[in-house]
Amino acid sequence: MNVYDGWRIAAMLTHHGLTQTDNIPDADIIILNTCAVRAKATDKVFSALGRIRRAKKPSALFGIVGCVAREAGSDAFRRIPDLNFVLGPQSYHKLPEILKDPDTKLLNIDLGGLEKFDELPQMTHSPSVAYIPIQEGCNHVCTYCIVPYTRGRELSRPYADVIRDTIHAAKTGAIEICFLGQNVNGYKYTDENGKLFRLSDLIRETAKIPEIMRIRFTSSYPTEMTDDLIDMFKSEQKLLPFLNMPIQSGAQNVLKRMNRPYSLELYCDIIHKLKIARPDIQISSDFIVGFPGETDEDFEQTMKIAEQIKYINSYSFKYSPRPHTAAALMPDQIPENIKSERLAKLDSYLNSVQRAFNESCIDKTLECLLEGPDKTGKHLVYRTPYMQQCIVPTPTDGTAPKLAQIKITAANKASLRGTLE
Ligand code: 5AD
Ligand code: SF4
C-alpha cells in the first residue's frame, strides 16, 4: 500500500506539470514517503530528512508523507523547523496546496476518508498491471501492529467506484488487476439500496472484463477467507493461483497474545479448502519471530507450520515494539540476539522452500505477464502466475507479447529464466 501511495503521489505531481528526478540537488520538491510498521524504517526518517536538508537547493520544498508523518505530527516541524509539509497516509492528495503557497506549513494527519483515491490519477511500475485500492485501514487490532493507529479503522470504497476504476484500467492497457487493502478480503460495501458487496462480487464482475486476464488481491486475513471467496478460485480461472495469507506465528498461545484469535486448525482447514478449489494454488505468508513471551518451543511450532504448509514466498521479521500498541508494553520482551537467531533459522528454511519451488518450475511452460525491459535492455522481465520474476532474452525483432507462454529453463532463489515459446 505504501509503494502504491508513492506511485500515486508521483502521478499526481506529474499531473501538475512536474517531472521526476532521483537527484536531490535538482529537485524543486522532495517527498519522503514513510513506513512506521517497524522501528528500523522509522528511525531512519529524521536522519534522512537531515541529509535531504543539506543536499537540496535552498528554494526546494521538502517534507514527509505517510505513516511516520502521522505518528510525528507537528513534532516533525519542531525537530526540523524548515520542513514544509507533514501529511498522513490519508491526506497526501493535499500536497499540491504547498505548490500554490510555498510559504505555508502544511500539516494534515487526519484519518477517516478515502477521498485521496477519488482525486488522484493512476500510475504504476508497469502499464499492464493496475493496482486498485478497495479498502484501507484495519479493524483487527493485532497487538503488535501500528497500522490501525496510522491508517485508522477499516473503510471500504464504494463498489461502483472500484468497478469504474477497474474498467478504466482495462481500457487504458491493464491486463492484470491487483485489488489492494490492509485487510483486503474483509472488503464489505453496502450500497444505497442495502445491497452488500464483498470481494467475491468484485472478482466475479472484474472477470467479465475481456481485457483483464489476471486478477489477484493482497493482503488477506485468515478468518475473512469466507467460502464465497474460496469458491472464486474454482469458478474464476482469471484469479491467479497464488495467495498471501499471513499466519505470523505457528504457536497458538502467541497468536492469542497477538490478538489473532484463529485456531491453527481453522487456518489449515482454509488452506485445505483452497487446494480443493484450486489444486495448483500456492500460499505466501508473513512471519514475526520473537514476539513477547515467545519460547523456543513456540518458535519450533512456527518452524513446524512453515514445514507443513511450504509457503513458496514469505516475509519474515523480528518483532519490533511500536508506539500505540499493546504488545510494546507486554512483559518478557525477547532479547535481540535470540530474535536474530530465530529469524536466521526461519529465513534459511523459507529460502530453501522458495528455491525448491522455483526449481520445480524448470521445464514447465507458464503464462507470464510482461513487466518491461531490465536495466541492460538485453532482457525482458515477466511475472509468472506465482509472482516469480522470469527473465527472458529480448527478441531480436523487438516484439514481445504482453502475455506470453514461457518455457522455464533455469531457476535460483530469487528468479527464473526462460524462453518465449
Ligand atoms: N514488528 C515486526 N513485524 C511487524 N509487522 C507488523 N507489525 C510488526 C511489528 N511491530 C509485519 C507483519 C505484517 C507485515 C506487513 O509486517 O508480519 O503482516
Ligand atoms: Fe496490522 Fe494486518 Fe493485524 Fe490489521 S490484520 S492489525 S494490518 S497485522
Side-chain angles (χ1 to χ4, degrees):
M1 186 66 94
N2 186 271
V3 171
Y4 173 81
D5 287 340
W7 287 328
R8 288 207 86 137
I9 292 166
M12 175 176 68
L13 294 180
T14 306
H15 197 67
H16 276 78
L18 282 83
T19 51
Q20 266 189 78
T21 174
D22 291 331
N23 191 21
I24 291 176
D26 285 345
D28 297 308
I29 179 164
I30 301 146
I31 303 132
L32 198 62
N33 182 25
T34 59
C35 173
V37 92
R38 282 171 292 279
K40 211 166 158 187
T42 305
D43 292 346
K44 290 184 195 155
V45 167
F46 282 91
S47 56
L49 285 171
R51 272 198 311 279
I52 292 169
R53 192 171 154 267
R54 287 190 294 279
K56 76 184 188 73
K57 57 186 181 194
S59 61
L61 301 169
F62 79 129
I64 41 174
V65 303
C67 291
V68 179
R70 165 147 168 85
E71 165 64 12
S74 56
D75 197 45
F77 289 120
R78 193 189 52 74
R79 290 178 70 172
I80 305 198
D82 45 354
L83 216 55
N84 302 95
F85 52 89
V86 175
L87 294 170
Q90 287 177 7
S91 30
Y92 59 71
H93 57 297
K94 306 218 181 273
L95 197 52
E97 287 176 20
I98 199 80
L99 300 174
K100 281 190 224 133
D101 189 358
D103 295 327
T104 54
K105 296 260 176 214
L106 191 57
L107 171 71
N108 191 323
I109 53 168
D110 299 346
L111 289 179
L114 296 184
E115 314 89 84
K116 62 174 182 180
F117 293 138
D118 300 331
E119 297 201 8
L120 301 171
Q122 288 274 356
M123 187 160 109
T124 68
H125 66 300
S126 157
S128 306
V129 184
Y131 288 82
I132 311 271
I134 65 170
Q135 170 286 324
E136 191 176 17
C138 189
N139 286 353
H140 283 296
V141 200
C142 300
T143 52
Y144 52 80
C145 185
I146 197 173
V147 166
Y149 174 79
T150 57
R151 297 221 183 225
R153 307 289 285 170
E154 221 167 287
L155 286 174
S156 290
R157 292 181 69 206
Y159 177 79
D161 289 8
V162 176
I163 295 298
R164 180 202 61 209
D165 286 1
T166 305
I167 293 172
H168 175 76
K171 299 290 172 220
T172 50
I175 292 176
E176 181 177 298
I177 294 291
C178 178
F179 291 123
L180 277 184
Q182 262 87 41
N183 182 33
V184 73
N185 57 347
Y187 175 86
K188 274 178 212 77
Y189 180 76
T190 308
D191 74 4
E192 49 293 348
N193 303 320
K195 185 165 164 34
L196 174 71
F197 293 94
R198 306 180 60 108
L199 178 57
S200 52
D201 298 304
L202 283 173
I203 293 169
R204 202 178 301 105
E205 203 54 29
T206 303
K208 291 182 192 155
I209 304 174
E211 293 88 345
I212 302 302
M213 302 305 291
R214 317 206 317 174
I215 304 170
R216 59 193 170 99
F217 54 90
T218 194
S219 196
S220 291
Y221 189 85
T223 52
E224 314 267 20
M225 211 65 215
T226 44
D227 287 343
D228 58 315
L229 191 50
I230 293 174
D231 286 346
M232 287 294 113
F233 284 93
K234 189 177 168 77
S235 59
E236 300 299 346
Q237 292 308 300
K238 289 183 179 182
L239 192 57
L240 292 178
F242 180 61
L243 177 71
N244 174 255
M245 189 170 72
I247 190 163
Q248 311 292 2
S249 167
Q252 197 66 70
N253 78 82
V254 174
L255 285 174
K256 188 154 178 256
R257 276 178 290 120
M258 285 178 164
N259 191 30
R260 295 179 68 96
Y262 45 82
S263 76
L264 291 164
E265 286 75 24
L266 177 78
Y267 184 94
C268 294
D269 192 43
I270 293 168
I271 294 202
H272 181 67
K273 283 192 199 164
L274 284 163
K275 293 219 153 153
I276 292 174
R278 193 69 175 268
D280 60 346
I281 199 165
Q282 297 291 345
I283 314 291
S284 104
S285 181
D286 296 358
F287 292 93
I288 295 176
V289 299
F291 185 79
E294 184 190 69
T295 61
D296 284 340
E297 213 168 75
D298 294 333
F299 173 68
E300 286 311 319
Q301 299 289 316
T302 298
M303 290 295 294
K304 225 165 107 188
I305 203 94
E307 283 159 19
Q308 187 183 327
I309 295 179
K310 297 219 164 15
Y311 298 100
I312 60 155
N313 162 302
S314 293
Y315 302 90
S316 34
F317 312 101
K318 289 191 259 187
Y319 166 69
S320 166
R322 307 305 296 129
H324 316 285
T325 63
L329 305 173
M330 286 180 183
D332 305 323
Q333 297 282 329
I334 305 295
E336 206 49 34
N337 61 329
I338 296 185
K339 288 187 203 173
S340 300
E341 265 171 40
R342 290 179 185 166
L343 185 66
K345 190 168 170 199
L346 179 61
D347 270 350
S348 147
Y349 178 71
L350 295 171
N351 287 341
S352 71
V353 176
Q354 185 166 353
R355 178 185 287 272
F357 178 71
N358 286 352
E359 286 170 355
S360 77
C361 295
I362 295 176
D363 291 335
K364 289 199 176 126
T365 298
L366 299 175
E367 188 175 68
C368 301
L369 182 67
L370 180 63
E371 222 160 62
D374 72 353
K375 278 189 221 106
T376 68
K378 291 184 189 146
H379 297 98
L380 295 174
V381 179
Y382 278 86
R383 286 275 161 193
T384 74
Y386 302 105
M387 290 304 115
Q388 299 143 296
Q389 194 179 55
C390 181
I391 317 273
V392 304
T394 305
T396 41
D397 63 2
T399 59
K402 282 190 170 175
L403 208 53
Q405 298 296 330
I406 294 181
K407 172 100 183 267
I408 309 303
T409 52
N412 60 29
K413 192 235 140 193
S415 65
L416 307 177
R417 288 190 171 261
T419 49
L420 290 165
E421 291 229 305

